[in-house]
Each structure stands twice: as structure tokens, then as C-alpha cells.
Amino acid sequence: MIPTWLTDSVTCDLDRALHYTMLWGLEAVELRAVGKHCERVPFVNEARLRRRLDENELPVAAIDPGLFLGPAEDRAGWMNEIASLDDTLAFCTRIGCTRLIVSSFASSPEHAATAAEALRRAADRSARAGVDLIVFHEADTCAPDAQALAELLDRVDHPAVRAGWDPASAVMQGDDPADGLPRLANRLGFVRCADALPAKQSWRPASFGEGAVDWGARLRELRDIGYAGPLSLCVQVEPKPKEGLRAATRLHELIRQSAARPSDHLAT
């Protein structure tokens, strides 16, 4: 498993983000917004980005350019996004990134067939570039939970489309995070690491590893299915630089614990 983080969850400043990555002992970065004005990838200062990544020998685990945020019914909208996808895929190739995070459309699950068509068309292009599409389950989309995402990916039925799993999102929607992984395990390509705690009638972000997700159990489940991909921290608690260090330290600890033999757990 690859300890990673979403850099703009703390800072859009590239130098600061890379400094934190090295300081916290993380092995890769997930890029969404970079630069003085938080420009969205791929519309960033690419030459500087590539130079600084090379200097620090840091891989890019994924990029999130904000594709498929609109409704699936807006066929013209997503057709335009697919038509311009080659530029984004070329950017991925130049920075050595093999995962492209996309949204699951601002529609209800009844539009899943249309969403699947769009994802399949996009995947035909991404596969030629050696890039997997990562689709997350998100509230108010065609895939609001892990079950709906599994059904959507069954419709897509494309080897270049993988699942993104976000247990904290599941918790905040009232789902049991333990239920999601079995539904997505055979297509899992990315894991979002955040946490949440109850707050009156709702939920609030929590320090990673201290909320209702039970990340120790989740990482053992990931180990059991042989998952070796990114575990990407999304820092949601202030002060974020301090919380980022604490979260990264906790992630490393939980990864080590998940790799230990059962007797090792009992011994500690």
C-alpha cells in the first residue's frame, strides 16, 4: 500500500506541498489544484511541476481534473469533456501518472446507464494511454454508495475503469464502512483516507484514525484482499499542517500494524 495525500487539502503551494510530503514520509502525491491561484490540473505550470517532482523523486499517484461533475443527462457536456480528454491524458503521460480520478455525475442512479456509456467511452481513450479511470462513490450522484458504484462499474464493464473507495463518505451517509469493500474489492484502484465523528444530527470531520471509520480494521481488510495501491490522505481538521503530520504518522503506524501477523497484534 502506498501512503499518499491530496496536496490541496492542506496547500496549493507546490513547494510547500512537496516539503510536507517528504517531511511526513509519504511516497506519492495526488494532484487536484496547484499553484498561486489553485489552478486545476492539467492547467498548471507543467514545466515547474515536472522539475520539482523530478528533484524530489516523487511519483504522482493520481490527478483529479474535475471531469463528469455535471448531470449524465447533459450528453453534450460530457461528450465535450471526452473530446478534450486526450490533452489531459497526454499530461498524465508527461508526469508519469497512471490514474485519473473522475466523478460519477450529478444525477440519480436512474441515469446510471447513460453515466456508464460516458465512462466506457472515456475509458476507451484512457486505456490507449495506459491510464485507469478512478470513479468514487459520492452523495447525490449516480453512485451515492459502494453498492451503487459496484452496479455502475458492472454496467461499464471496462478493465480501465476502477473503483475509488471512501469509507468516511460512507460513514457520513449512515452506511457501515465495512460493507463497501467486499462490493468493490475486485475493481479497487484507489482509497481515500479521512475520518468522521457524530455531531448532533449529522457528522463532522475527525482526525484520521480517531473517528467512526475504524481504519485499523479497514487496512487489515485491504491487506487481506491484497490491495497494494494508494492510500490517499485528505486532511480536513485544523490546523491542517499539524494535522497532516499527525495523520501521516498514524497512517504509517496502521500500515505497519496491518502487515503484522495476528500474534503480533496480540503482543501489542
Side-chain angles (χ1 to χ4, degrees):
M1 291 181 273
I2 307 166
T4 304
W5 73 301
L6 178 60
T7 57
D8 66 67
S9 66
V10 174
T11 180
C12 290
D13 183 275
L14 177 61
D15 289 332
R16 188 172 297 174
L18 298 182
H19 169 72
Y20 287 147
T21 307
M22 305 302 290
L23 179 67
W24 299 342
L26 300 174
E27 297 177 11
V29 292
E30 175 190 351
L31 300 178
R32 180 174 60 186
V34 180
K36 183 177 180 180
H37 301 291
C38 287
E39 295 91 351
R40 192 84 179 233
V41 291
F43 305 107
V44 298
N45 186 335
E46 183 182 330
R48 183 169 183 271
L49 173 64
R50 291 170 63 186
R51 182 176 69 253
R52 297 294 286 120
L53 290 170
D54 288 344
E55 289 170 354
N56 288 275
E57 298 182 341
L58 275 175
V60 178
I63 68 165
D64 181 354
L67 295 175
F68 301 152
L69 292 169
E73 311 90 277
D74 181 11
R75 179 174 290 270
W78 58 255
M79 287 289 286
N80 285 335
E81 289 182 308
I82 291 172
S84 62
L85 185 59
D86 287 347
D87 290 338
T88 300
L89 294 170
F91 173 81
C92 287
T93 298
R94 291 192 297 269
I95 66 170
C97 175
T98 59
R99 300 177 189 87
L100 178 64
I101 293 174
V102 300
S103 294
S104 46
F105 295 95
S107 303
S108 64
E110 67 187 56
H111 296 286
T114 306
E117 178 190 351
L119 290 167
R120 195 179 306 112
R121 291 188 181 212
D124 285 340
R125 294 195 177 211
S126 72
R128 290 194 290 270
V131 174
D132 284 342
L133 300 184
I134 306 292
V135 188
F136 273 91
H137 53 95
E138 304 169 274
D140 302 317
T141 69
C142 286
D145 54 34
Q147 178 62 40
L149 178 57
E151 292 171 358
L152 175 60
L153 297 190
D154 282 343
R155 285 179 178 268
V156 177
D157 192 24
H158 197 295
V161 181
R162 313 291 291 172
W165 183 41
D166 187 347
S169 174
V171 162
M172 295 178 77
Q173 293 184 72
D175 298 329
D176 185 341
D179 292 342
L181 186 57
R183 294 167 178 151
L184 302 176
N186 63 335
R187 292 194 179 95
L188 189 62
F190 207 84
V191 178
R192 173 76 64 239
C193 294
D195 222 327
L197 281 169
K200 295 182 179 179
Q201 302 301 312
S202 185
W203 294 82
R204 63 175 176 83
S207 290
F208 175 74
E210 297 181 4
V213 171
D214 189 357
W215 274 104
R218 304 290 80 79
L219 291 187
R220 289 192 295 274
E221 292 162 0
L222 287 166
R223 175 207 61 195
D224 289 345
I225 66 167
Y227 178 72
L231 302 171
S232 188
L233 287 166
C234 181
V235 182
Q236 299 177 314
V237 176
E238 298 287 352
K240 289 189 173 182
K242 182 177 180 179
E243 169 61 17
L245 174 59
R246 198 213 65 78
T249 301
R250 182 62 173 151
L251 179 60
H252 286 301
E253 178 185 350
L254 291 173
I255 291 173
R256 286 194 299 270
Q257 290 177 1
S258 72
R261 296 187 302 273
S263 57
D264 295 331
H265 291 296
L266 292 174
T268 58

